[in-house]
Amino acid sequence: MNPDNTTDLTPFTMDLTFDESRRRAEVVAALGPEWDPVEALRGEDEAYALLYSGLDAEQQRAYDMLVAAGVLPGEEPGRAAAH
């Protein structure tokens, strides 16, 4: 094989769609029939609210600054940090 000639290369492609679908199905199966995604998200929202509750004035200023900078997510629905 000539290292300067790419025509000697054989293209190699792999479609991982089936494997990804199988992996996702296994994850959902492992969660079990009692898993409630809405309740899980509700619990996450409650934990997030509790995490940032009871801040003193200096902590609240720091929190507000980080939210404004996009480092921490705000309290809006579907929140995610901007960066």
Side-chain angles (χ1 to χ4, degrees), residues 3 9 19-20 29 32 35 39 44-45 48 56 58 60-61 66 77 80:
L9 298 176
D19 290 325
E20 179 62 14
W35 181 67
E39 184 59 34
E44 286 183 18
D45 286 341
Y48 183 86
D56 64 29
E58 182 180 343
Q60 187 65 50
R61 274 193 306 276
L66 292 171

Side-chain angles (χ1 to χ4, degrees), residues 12-73:
F12 179 78
T13 60
M14 184 181 296
D15 183 5
L16 298 176
T17 306
F18 175 76
D19 290 325
E20 179 62 14
S21 297
R22 183 190 55 76
R23 184 194 68 80
R24 288 182 183 194
E26 292 295 329
V27 168
V28 172
L31 291 170
E34 284 79 36
W35 181 67
D36 181 4
V38 174
E39 184 59 34
L41 290 175
R42 189 176 299 119
E44 286 183 18
D45 286 341
E46 291 170 3
Y48 183 86
L50 183 60
L51 179 64
Y52 293 108
S53 67
L55 300 177
D56 64 29
E58 182 180 343
Q59 292 168 330
Q60 187 65 50
R61 274 193 306 276
Y63 171 78
D64 292 341
M65 179 184 66
L66 292 171
V67 169
V71 175
L72 289 177

